[in-house]
Amino acid sequence: MTTASELRPPATSTASGGAGPLPGDLPGSDLLAAYRPGPDRALLATPTRTLLAEGVHRTVDDPAAAGRVLAEARPDGGERLLIGAIPFDPAAPARLFVPGRVRRAGPVPPPSGVPLATDRTGEGRWHSRPVPEPDGYRAAVAEAVRRLAGDSPLEKVVLARTLELTTPGGSDLAAMAARLVHRDPHGYTFAVPAGGTATLIGASPELLVSRRGTRVVSNPLAGSAARSADPVEDRRRAEALLESAKDLAEHAFVVDAVRAALAPFCTELVAPERPSLLRTAAMWHLSSTVTGVLREPATSALELALALHPTPAVCGTPTAHARAAIGELEPFDRGLYTGVVGWGDASGDGEWVVTLRCAEADGDRLRLFAGAGVVAASDPELELAETAAKFRTFLHAVGLADTR
């Protein structure tokens, strides 16, 4: 029987690596209000801090060079910080930069009084187009299941789809960021430059890795179920997820991969025997918090993130076979989606999250992403429903109803 404690989200201090709120020149809510999108602006709002970066001192397209660039950087604001995103494809250029100025504060507090309203004026002016169409996505999942049941070494593959929204005049990204922060305050909200005039904006539930001193934390998520507005049904879905053989197997793939990737860097590494439940406004997730102690204090959070990326939660396993299947079955380039987004400083500390529940905004267009892990027991209709549920985080921020 599931206990009440298993249904609570994990404490944010556990998933964030124990890094407490940092003093700043403004409250987190003021930094959130001050954010305006642009090629030289970035916002990160995590459970422990809020960062607003302004101006570009140095750009970094090769994450392996980040340590050297930070050591050499002399930004006007005096703080050497790296911020931005790394794509799903490690061979593609990263969107990282050392800002000229960084303002920081503690986490954004929950709104007082009336909850932040959703802008329903958008419902009549957005045009949406799924890529692929639902039938195409079902067919891709069915093909993946066929391969998984055959002689292929493939054990799991994550297949994604997109929802392209267009509207005259584009979207209000600052207001969207505020709605994302307040809808999931325990998540990691980001709005960072994505190249040209584009902005990557989203609210990820999944901490890939954080480092503070020698302490390392990773919070892999895999295995999901949509939330229900009915409390009884919502609890039933949560309890079913905790007992789902399919989802538990999918989660085990990811936890094993995280432990294997972190083991060479750590003298101690601890993972729970069974996952717990993490809830967002739209989804239940199976969650495991993996903690470790660094072997070499000079190893940075970004180095650990690169060693972990991509996990089976966003790619599959074995990685090479899953990547090949994704290239054949997904009719679009993921770009920054299912990559890594976050920050790191010159001491090596940082927080890097998996780029999920996100969209790429550029002019009149907003391209949303959602994916589902496919294993041999997967049902194409259920995987389609899971991606539709994952779109809800962003559809709420835009002011649209659910869509298939």
Side-chain angles (χ1 to χ4, degrees):
M1 179 67 181
T2 306
T3 65
S5 63
E6 287 179 297
L7 292 174
R8 285 193 211 108
T12 55
S13 60
T14 299
S16 64
L22 297 180
D25 51 1
L26 286 173
S29 54
D30 284 4
L31 290 187
L32 177 62
Y35 168 70
R36 296 295 179 271
D40 61 348
R41 292 284 192 95
L43 171 76
L44 293 176
T46 83
T48 60
R49 72 198 69 214
T50 307
L51 300 175
L52 181 61
E54 300 166 309
V56 177
H57 174 67
R58 293 278 298 273
T59 59
V60 181
D61 59 7
D62 179 7
R68 174 182 56 79
V69 172
L70 275 174
E72 298 172 351
R74 297 293 183 271
D76 295 339
E79 183 171 7
R80 291 177 292 167
L81 196 78
L82 189 73
I83 198 164
I86 296 167
F88 173 67
D89 181 358
R95 302 293 181 184
L96 299 168
F97 70 100
V98 179
R101 180 190 182 198
V102 179
R103 290 189 279 171
R104 59 169 69 220
V108 176
S112 58
V114 179
L116 194 68
T118 298
D119 179 11
R120 294 296 178 187
T121 60
E123 291 185 347
R125 60 189 179 89
W126 286 96
H127 171 73
S128 65
R129 182 174 75 95
V131 178
E133 294 286 343
D135 284 347
Y137 185 76
R138 291 189 194 93
V141 173
E143 172 58 20
V145 169
R146 186 192 67 77
R147 297 184 188 189
L148 286 158
D151 296 331
S152 169
L154 193 64
E155 297 178 80
K156 173 188 173 181
V157 61
V158 178
L159 293 181
R161 65 189 184 106
T162 72
L163 189 64
E164 295 184 356
L165 306 178
T166 55
T167 185
S171 48
D172 185 343
L173 298 187
M176 194 179 296
R179 283 194 286 271
L180 288 168
V181 170
H182 291 302
R183 181 167 168 81
D184 280 315
H186 299 306
Y188 299 80
T189 298
F190 51 87
V192 299
T197 59
T199 297
L200 176 72
I201 182 168
S204 176
E206 185 167 358
L207 174 68
L208 181 64
V209 68
S210 71
R211 195 209 89 161
R212 188 183 188 194
T214 59
R215 185 170 185 240
V216 175
V217 177
S218 180
N219 184 208
L221 309 179
S224 305
R227 300 289 305 275
S228 171
D230 179 342
V232 175
E233 172 61 15
D234 194 45
R235 184 182 182 90
R236 187 200 67 78
R237 292 182 185 184
E239 292 178 342
L241 180 61
L242 269 180
E243 301 301 325
S244 166
K246 179 258 187 189
D247 289 289
L248 289 169
E250 182 183 340
H251 188 81
F253 281 137
V254 180
V255 174
D256 288 346
V258 167
R259 294 178 66 172
L262 291 179
F265 300 97
C266 295
T267 57
E268 301 175 23
L269 201 58
V270 179
E273 292 185 4
R274 282 181 59 86
S276 59
L277 286 167
L278 181 145
R279 65 173 176 243
T280 68
M283 302 293 295
W284 286 106
H285 297 284
L286 293 179
S287 166
S288 292
T289 299
V290 181
T291 60
V293 177
L294 282 179
R295 190 182 308 277
E296 297 292 338
T299 304
S300 71
L302 181 56
E303 289 177 81
L304 297 172
L306 294 174
L308 286 163
H309 175 62
T311 72
V314 297
C315 181
T317 187
T319 302
H321 291 86
R323 278 189 182 280
I326 288 168
E328 294 168 7
L329 297 176
E330 287 184 0
F332 58 88
D333 181 357
R334 288 191 181 186
L336 296 172
Y337 169 64
T338 60
V340 182
V341 61
W343 67 274
D345 65 20
S347 74
D349 285 351
E351 289 175 295
W352 298 93
V353 303
V354 184
T355 312
L356 301 172
R357 311 297 183 272
C358 64
E360 183 180 284
D362 195 1
D364 293 351
R365 183 177 65 93
L366 192 66
R367 185 165 71 147
L368 284 60
F369 300 88
V374 181
V375 294
S378 290
D379 180 318
E381 187 62 33
L382 293 179
E383 305 302 350
L384 178 70
E386 180 176 325
T387 58
K390 289 175 177 176
F391 279 137
R392 287 179 195 154
T393 295
F394 231 94
L395 292 171
H396 175 274
V398 173
L400 289 174
D402 293 352
T403 183
R404 295 288 276 174

